[in-house]
Amino acid sequence: MRKVIIGSIMAATTLIATGEEGLKNLRGVDQELDGIFLREIKYDDWTYIGAEEGVITKVVNDILKENKGKDGFLDTATREYGDGNWQYEWDQIAAEAERSGDYEKAAAYYTVSAYPYFKDSRENYNSYVVNAMENYQKVVEEDGFYYEKIEVDTPQGKAYANLHLPEKNGKDYPVVIFTGGSDVFAIEYYRLFKEYLAEQGIAYISFELPGMGINSHLTYTPDTNIVHRGVIEKIKKDPRFNGKIVVGASSLGGQPAVRTAFTNEEDVTAVVNFCGALSDVWKGINPETVSYLPMLNQVVLADRLDTSIKGFAEAAPEYSLENQGYLGKMKTSVDIMSIGTSTDPVAPVSDAELVTDASDNGVNVIVASEVGHGMPRSVVLPLISGYIVDKLK
């Protein structure tokens, strides 16, 4: 294993509420909407996919004002689809962008509308699966690339993924398979393809994990990489691809990505795991400790697992890759790069060390930082793109 420690990064920009002054944009400040909003306001991530700072500030302030004085989380206080409702307010902004022909902003705002996505919400389905994806396809095609929604087989039935090609009629493509976490949508990493992979002649496939977005009809069971395996089988039969595959993921997606290095060892060239929740955090969750997790994480993970918060707490240890017999017990010939911060409680350095120790050619990149879990995509994508391109050439 090679360990690399690189310089510190600043904490991501956050949005905080400060009394009558409303929402402020500050850097390096902890999220002070905790306890006020269920959702985290992900300023850096949303501006990175096309949202505007001023629009985020305005919509969140409007929701705060509309629900002022109500009980519970203010972003969930208005459940009917109208003024003050999270989905409604963001859908209005998204529809306005769509009417003006700004499909990138429309896709971004519809995606924020659906965040963090609950499978029983018709508004979530319409905002993301219908509207965000429709605008996203227009963005990809306007950029001169080929887009195709593909269908793959899994033990739970059909799953869906987004295929991107540098050219429609190209062939002999290596491919990157990429996923985000439990509340990150497939379209949010498009810039990895647009800015780094396409010019190198590399195809790109993205999808949501089971239980979310276009795969919300599936359940995130301990067999977490069912969609990955289905996509790989699809690739192997498609003459457009040359058989070289890199799998990448962040946060909750890191677990199925790393798992694929073991279940599909002969098919995968390399895995990139950044800030992946692989083992330690899963082993530590039980009915007594689950309350220490932020409420957003509790309700989102219960939704993905198709259970209650109590059910999630009871099942969590089954998701640990150590408990499943992979990490600490098995080796893989797949090259693995792990990237994480030095202060991440969800993806601790010890998890990354287990991963890179399991690989014949493991690299562990530690970013000295006080950010905690996750890093800005503007920092991560340049770090991983060179590694990916090198493995696929």
Side-chain angles (χ1 to χ4, degrees):
M1 176 188 77
R2 290 193 295 120
K3 180 181 290 186
V4 180
I5 301 177
I6 63 177
S8 63
I9 59 174
M10 296 295 292
T13 297
T14 56
L15 302 182
I16 67 170
T18 55
E20 294 304 314
E21 296 179 357
L23 208 64
K24 299 292 185 182
N25 301 328
L26 299 175
R27 294 208 173 253
V29 180
D30 289 337
Q31 177 58 259
E32 293 186 11
L33 287 175
D34 287 348
I36 300 173
F37 273 25
L38 173 69
R39 297 168 176 88
E40 175 189 359
I41 306 305
K42 302 197 292 184
Y43 173 86
D44 277 319
D45 289 347
W46 295 341
T47 55
Y48 197 66
I49 65 172
E52 291 186 351
E53 171 185 345
V55 172
I56 299 172
T57 302
K58 179 184 184 303
V59 175
V60 175
N61 263 327
D62 287 347
I63 293 171
L64 281 167
K65 293 173 184 176
E66 189 71 30
N67 294 294
K68 186 177 180 179
K70 294 182 180 179
D71 294 333
F73 296 111
L74 298 188
D75 59 324
T76 63
T78 300
R79 298 191 180 279
E80 60 275 13
Y81 189 70
D83 291 344
N85 174 269
W86 176 276
Q87 284 86 19
Y88 177 83
E89 297 288 359
W90 283 108
D91 281 351
Q92 306 318 298
I93 300 297
E96 182 180 340
E98 186 175 15
R99 285 192 296 270
S100 70
D102 194 333
Y103 303 122
E104 180 183 45
K105 284 186 173 58
Y109 295 136
Y110 278 125
T111 298
V112 176
S113 171
Y115 165 76
Y117 199 98
F118 294 108
K119 63 180 66 177
D120 62 350
S121 168
R122 174 54 52 179
E123 285 79 19
N124 283 183
Y125 182 90
N126 288 336
S127 293
Y128 182 72
V129 177
V130 178
N131 295 325
M133 291 304 303
E134 181 178 286
N135 282 278
Y136 176 69
Q137 181 173 350
K138 292 177 182 177
V139 171
V140 176
E141 292 173 347
E142 284 187 346
D143 286 339
F145 306 123
Y146 174 72
Y147 171 88
E148 179 184 333
K149 184 177 179 181
I150 61 174
E151 182 180 279
V152 302
D153 294 321
T154 81
Q156 295 185 33
K158 299 294 183 183
Y160 302 96
N162 308 295
L163 168 65
H164 310 68
L165 299 178
E167 296 179 5
K168 179 179 180 180
N169 297 317
K171 60 181 180 180
D172 200 35
Y173 286 124
V175 62
V176 172
I177 300 171
F178 208 90
T179 60
S182 61
D183 62 355
V184 179
F185 296 86
I187 71 175
E188 294 189 56
Y189 285 97
Y190 170 59
R191 288 177 66 172
L192 175 63
F193 173 70
K194 177 181 178 179
E195 298 177 6
Y196 301 101
L197 303 181
E199 65 181 10
Q200 299 293 331
I202 298 172
Y204 174 73
I205 296 176
S206 65
F207 54 88
E208 278 88 38
L209 297 175
M212 182 181 173
I214 59 175
N215 291 318
S216 60
H217 57 291
L218 306 178
T219 300
Y220 192 77
T221 68
D223 189 9
T224 53
N225 63 336
I226 57 172
V227 183
H228 289 76
R229 299 199 305 270
V231 169
I232 289 171
E233 289 304 310
K234 184 94 170 182
I235 290 171
K236 289 163 64 175
K237 298 172 184 176
D238 193 321
R240 293 176 291 185
F241 305 113
N242 67 11
K244 292 183 179 179
I245 299 171
V246 168
V247 178
S250 66
S251 196
L252 190 72
Q255 200 267 28
V258 171
R259 197 173 194 268
T260 303
F262 295 94
T263 63
N264 293 78
E265 185 176 9
E266 300 302 316
D267 303 317
V268 176
T269 303
V271 167
V272 176
N273 158 56
F274 67 91
C275 303
L278 307 175
S279 184
D280 188 72
V281 69
W282 294 110
K283 291 194 300 179
I285 296 172
N286 58 52
E288 287 71 45
T289 63
V290 71
S291 62
Y292 292 107
L293 291 176
M295 181 55 68
L296 177 66
N297 297 101
Q298 294 182 47
V299 297
V300 165
L301 289 169
D303 181 76
R304 309 299 181 249
L305 274 60
D306 199 22
T307 185
S308 62
I309 294 174
K310 178 182 178 182
F312 154 61
E314 292 172 343
E318 300 174 22
Y319 291 77
S320 162
L321 289 183
E322 280 186 277
N323 289 348
Q324 290 188 10
Y326 294 113
L327 295 183
K329 298 173 185 178
M330 293 179 63
K331 295 284 187 179
T332 177
S333 61
V334 175
D335 296 347
I336 302 178
M337 178 191 216
S338 284
I339 301 179
T341 72
S342 56
T343 57
D344 194 330
V346 176
V349 173
S350 58
D351 270 13
E353 289 175 341
L354 282 172
V355 173
T356 47
D357 283 344
S359 170
D360 289 343
N361 189 21
V363 179
N364 187 8
V365 180
I366 303 169
V367 179
S369 169
E370 297 181 359
V371 169
H373 182 56
M375 290 184 283
R377 291 167 201 162
S378 57
V379 174
V380 171
L381 298 190
L383 282 176
I384 68 174
S385 60
Y387 180 85
I388 290 172
V389 170
D390 180 65
K391 293 300 175 182
L392 291 176
K393 288 299 185 180

